[in-house]
Amino acid sequence: MITNDKGLVGFKHKIMEEVCRLAWSDELDEEHKEQLVYKLAPGPKPVYRCCVYKEREIVRQRIRLACGLSTTYNEGSKNIVQVIDPACDECPIHAFSVTDNCRFCMGKACLNSCKFDAIHPGDVRMHIDSAKCKECGMCAGACPYGAIVHLERPCYKACPVGAITYDENGYCKIDESKCIQCGHCIHSCPFGAIGSKTFLVQIIEAIKSGKEVIAMCAPATEGQFGEDISMAAVKNALIKLGFADMVEVGLGGDMTAAYESKEWAEAYAEGKKMTTSCCPAFINMLKKTLPRAV
């Protein structure tokens, strides 16, 4: 499946890789972080954005996320999913727009359907006054040419719980009381303006402090590195990195499924309804929308 952020994934991973290198070498201080910013966005021309200075600021914020911190634009937030404000400025703010398909027809069904005086003739096509538009969609439905389109921002469209809103400047805002940490908005944004905290640095610090850290690998891990790499090879690599051991998540999944199937059978016999999931986002959704069901 190709996501909207496909072209940015390598850039995101490179930042996490470099941050981990600094953590392993005890160089994860502000001086080395700033050096990393210029290493990844050397200039004078940007690689991903229109401006190298904006690109550097985005790298700074992604370094914070890679360290398990909130962005500087969202200090104190406990949410794992975070908006990177400097990257969130390319989407059209207004929901309804008139396209070049507009024939500037004499009937002007769009104008006649609008109850808020938000549509007026422009130089070559009709124009929607965003200050008056109530986004009711009557004009789009009335246009015989389908020249008026409803533009839903990708992050808003992807969110299954309505946690995405926008401020007066059009920047994406996440309602943390609704957010279930599913990550759909992260992968839907084509500008990489939404990211998530990662805790690789904390794992490295735990290993370096001498704690017994055991890695858990999903079954899909085996298919990530080609036919020649087995789970045994992954385990050996993790132990060389400093992990005490590695266990496969699939084993725990099988054990859980066996236990929960028995639990479900008992509930069914008693006429009760029951659902379950190993997905944290699904559990978060239940806790926030149906707390009595948990």
Side-chain angles (χ1 to χ4, degrees):
M1 178 181 177
I2 303 299
T3 56
N4 288 352
D5 67 341
K6 173 67 175 178
L8 296 167
V9 171
F11 181 59
K12 297 176 184 179
H13 289 176
K14 182 63 176 176
I15 292 174
M16 288 190 287
E17 177 187 337
E18 293 294 337
V19 166
C20 288
R21 290 182 188 279
L22 292 177
W24 277 115
S25 59
D26 292 323
E27 295 179 329
L28 197 57
D29 51 48
E30 294 305 316
E31 179 181 352
H32 284 90
K33 288 179 184 177
E34 193 62 16
Q35 290 176 3
L36 178 57
V37 170
Y38 282 83
K39 176 182 177 180
L40 296 173
K45 294 183 178 181
V47 178
Y48 293 95
R49 305 302 302 228
C50 60
C51 168
V52 69
Y53 303 106
K54 178 182 289 186
E55 188 169 271
R56 286 170 181 163
E57 179 59 17
I58 293 170
V59 171
R60 289 188 185 96
Q61 299 306 318
R62 286 206 166 274
I63 288 174
R64 289 183 61 86
L65 293 177
C67 293
L69 303 173
S70 298
T71 66
T72 55
Y73 305 91
N74 203 19
E75 289 279 11
S77 170
K78 295 181 179 180
N79 219 46
I80 292 177
V81 180
Q82 298 272 308
V83 179
I84 304 171
D85 283 19
C88 181
D89 65 350
E90 300 292 345
C91 288
I93 296 175
H94 311 303
F96 286 90
S97 297
V98 181
T99 69
D100 289 338
N101 287 340
C102 177
R103 301 294 90 190
F104 217 40
C105 60
M106 293 179 65
K108 294 182 173 48
C110 57
L111 186 151
N112 294 323
S113 69
C114 182
K115 298 179 180 179
F116 306 103
D117 193 34
I119 299 183
H120 301 281
D123 293 333
V124 294
R125 59 175 179 260
M126 300 301 288
H127 172 73
I128 297 177
D129 184 343
S130 59
K132 295 181 179 180
C133 179
K134 304 301 181 183
E135 301 183 3
C136 67
M138 294 295 290
C139 58
C143 177
Y145 294 102
I148 301 177
V149 295
H150 184 202
L151 300 176
E152 285 188 292
R153 290 171 71 163
C155 54
Y156 179 87
K157 187 176 181 180
C159 182
V161 292
I164 300 290
T165 57
Y166 306 100
D167 65 13
E168 64 276 9
N169 297 312
Y171 289 115
C172 173
K173 297 297 176 185
I174 298 174
D175 185 340
E176 296 182 13
S177 67
K178 296 181 179 179
C179 180
I180 59 174
Q181 319 279 0
C182 67
H184 283 323
C185 58
I186 295 174
H187 298 297
S188 72
C189 179
F191 300 104
I194 307 177
S196 62
K197 299 176 184 177
T198 58
F199 301 95
L200 297 173
V201 170
Q202 287 75 7
I203 294 173
I204 292 171
E205 290 173 347
I207 292 174
K208 294 185 68 175
S209 70
K211 292 183 179 179
E212 184 180 35
V213 182
I214 298 175
M216 298 174 63
C217 292
T221 305
E222 192 167 15
Q224 300 294 310
F225 304 101
E227 297 180 358
D228 297 329
I229 304 299
S230 64
M231 291 298 274
V234 172
K235 180 176 181 177
N236 289 334
L238 289 170
I239 290 175
K240 287 183 179 180
L241 280 174
F243 287 91
D245 197 0
M246 183 274 276
V247 295
E248 295 188 43
V249 174
L251 175 60
D254 289 341
M255 294 170 65
T256 301
Y259 174 80
E260 289 183 345
S261 62
K262 180 181 177 182
E263 189 179 28
W264 183 87
E266 293 173 353
Y268 180 78
E270 296 175 10
K272 296 179 180 179
K273 293 183 179 180
M274 180 178 288
T275 185
T276 184
S277 175
C278 60
C279 174
F282 181 80
I283 301 302
N284 286 337
M285 183 185 69
L286 289 180
K287 287 180 177 178
K288 292 190 175 185
T289 60
L290 296 169
R292 292 183 180 180
V294 180

